[in-house]
Amino acid sequence: KSVIIKAVALDKETAKIAVLGVPDRPGIAARLFSGLAAEGICVEMILQSVMRGQINDIAFLVDKRDIEKTITACRDLSRQLGAQGVTFDTEIARVSVVGAGISSHAEIPSRVFSILAGKGINIEMISASSMAITCVVSSLDGEAAVHALHHEFMEDK
Amino acid sequence: KSVIIKAVALDKETAKIAVLGVPDRPGIAARLFSGLAAEGICVEMILQSVMRGQINDIAFLVDKRDIEKTITACRDLSRQLGAQGVTFDTEIARVSVVGAGISSHAEIPSRVFSILAGKGINIEMISASSMAITCVVSSLDGEAAVHALHHEFMEDK
Ligand SMILES: C[C@@H](O)[C@H](N)C(=O)O
Ligand SMILES: C[C@@H](O)[C@H](N)C(=O)O
């Protein structure tokens, strides 16, 4: 069962930014990320979930070192796009469980989330695909999260 | 440049579900996905973005064949968790641009989104990591999206 998990990783050098309430129509994401690319900002993870009304939030992670530059660019772009505003948080950590064919094992997501819940860790963002499950947690919880996940998936029982 | 893109893929056999307004505290995601695992439901992609107030939305994709079973399970779980409700959409398609080290190329996300914008395609959900950029679009736009992305990234110019 757990043989499909290849690694459990922690990234503490990351910060999250969200452009809130962008109009949900073609071309908006293109303009936002073209603006960021023009500043040479590499984006590590992008999340846009279901829309509410005719607006949507676009959240992403960048290297902590780029946070000032990214906030400035996003505030500009938010005004140009008619968004509601920009939020950010530098006190986060990203934990990832990486493996092959994760999505074809129904119990893996619930095991990942239950391990974090068992440690009282709140999950601030989730991005899961067939190759990895990534959770953003508080930077205070990063170490405890990666140790608990490593114990669950990487150590022989 | 485009040598890092390995594939462009289209999945039309997928449906999206969202449990809206779940309490944003430890253990909620664990209970939701434990409930789905108990029903043997494999989840293909999970997205939880930044929270608003003390609540959050958890959206995910399942195989279209599992949609009835998933809606029933989610309505039950939504009541148990004190969520606001459940929405779903079966008329979607998922297009993915897969490659290595995508997140270290600042211009790739903006190219993907600009190609779709150029075809007038609205992007309903986005999930991007270092290995892939996935966009959920209307099922009416799936073919046009994958052809335009294939032309941009896979064909010799
Ligand atoms: C919100 C944003 O993603 C918009 N739907 C777009 O297509 O650009
Ligand atoms: C919303 C949900 O993800 C919650 N924050 C949890 O940790 O379970």
Side-chain angles (χ1 to χ4, degrees):
Chain A
K1 214 18 125 211
S2 57
V3 68
I4 63 164
I5 304 297
K6 296 200 190 101
V8 174
L10 172 65
D11 174 8
K12 299 200 299 189
E13 301 311 314
T14 190
K16 77 178 172 188
I17 305 236
V19 180
L20 300 176
V22 299
D24 200 321
R25 52 165 198 272
I28 296 292
R31 286 168 63 192
L32 174 59
F33 289 95
S34 299
L36 294 171
E39 298 289 327
I41 295 169
C42 284
V43 177
E44 294 168 351
M45 181 170 113
I46 305 171
L47 281 183
Q48 177 194 311
S49 187
V50 292
M51 86 182 165
R52 297 263 207 157
Q54 294 307 314
I55 60 172
N56 210 324
D57 300 337
I58 300 179
F60 54 94
L61 303 184
V62 293
D63 188 298
K64 252 184 186 152
R65 290 173 306 215
D66 288 337
I67 189 74
E68 297 300 327
K69 187 164 67 166
T70 307
I71 294 168
T72 308
C74 280
R75 289 205 169 126
D76 238 21
L77 290 159
S78 170
R79 269 194 299 276
Q80 288 171 28
L81 298 175
Q84 291 173 338
V86 177
T87 66
F88 66 93
D89 187 352
T90 56
E91 300 313 308
I92 63 160
R94 175 171 52 153
V95 284
S96 300
V97 173
V98 183
I102 278 183
S103 56
S104 46
H105 291 255
E107 80 293 343
I108 300 263
S110 82
R111 275 171 72 193
V112 169
F113 303 142
S114 298
I115 293 293
L116 298 179
K119 297 285 177 200
I121 295 173
N122 193 48
I123 306 169
E124 298 181 11
M125 294 169 86
I126 301 171
S127 173
S129 69
S130 61
M131 296 178 283
I133 296 179
T134 298
C135 295
V136 169
V137 299
S138 158
S139 54
L140 301 172
D141 293 326
E143 299 290 344
V146 74
H147 288 133
L149 291 170
H150 191 274
H151 179 69
E152 170 74 6
F153 289 108
M154 302 298 283
E155 288 159 28
D156 286 337
K157 305 267 194 304
Chain B
K1 206 36 116 204
S2 57
V3 68
I4 63 165
I5 304 296
K6 297 199 191 100
V8 175
L10 172 66
D11 173 9
K12 300 199 302 191
E13 301 312 314
T14 190
K16 78 179 171 186
I17 305 240
V19 179
L20 300 177
V22 300
D24 200 320
R25 53 164 197 272
I28 297 291
R31 286 167 63 193
L32 174 60
F33 288 95
S34 300
L36 294 171
E39 298 288 326
I41 295 169
C42 285
V43 177
E44 295 169 351
M45 181 168 113
I46 305 171
L47 281 184
Q48 177 195 311
S49 187
V50 291
M51 90 182 164
R52 298 265 207 154
Q54 295 307 313
I55 60 172
N56 211 326
D57 301 336
I58 300 179
F60 54 94
L61 303 185
V62 294
D63 188 298
K64 252 184 184 149
R65 290 175 305 218
D66 288 335
I67 189 75
E68 297 299 328
K69 188 164 66 165
T70 308
I71 293 169
T72 307
C74 280
R75 290 204 167 128
D76 234 26
L77 290 158
S78 171
R79 270 192 300 277
Q80 288 171 27
L81 298 175
Q84 291 174 338
V86 177
T87 65
F88 66 94
D89 187 351
T90 57
E91 301 313 308
I92 63 159
R94 174 170 54 151
V95 284
S96 300
V97 173
V98 182
I102 279 184
S103 55
S104 47
H105 291 254
E107 80 292 345
I108 301 258
S110 81
R111 276 171 71 193
V112 169
F113 304 142
S114 298
I115 293 293
L116 298 179
K119 297 285 178 199
I121 295 172
N122 192 48
I123 306 169
E124 298 181 11
M125 294 169 85
I126 301 171
S127 173
S129 69
S130 61
M131 296 178 284
I133 297 180
T134 298
C135 294
V136 170
V137 299
S138 158
S139 53
L140 301 173
D141 293 327
E143 300 289 344
V146 74
H147 288 133
L149 290 171
H150 191 274
H151 179 69
E152 170 74 5
F153 288 108
M154 301 297 284
E155 288 159 30
D156 287 335
K157 305 252 194 320

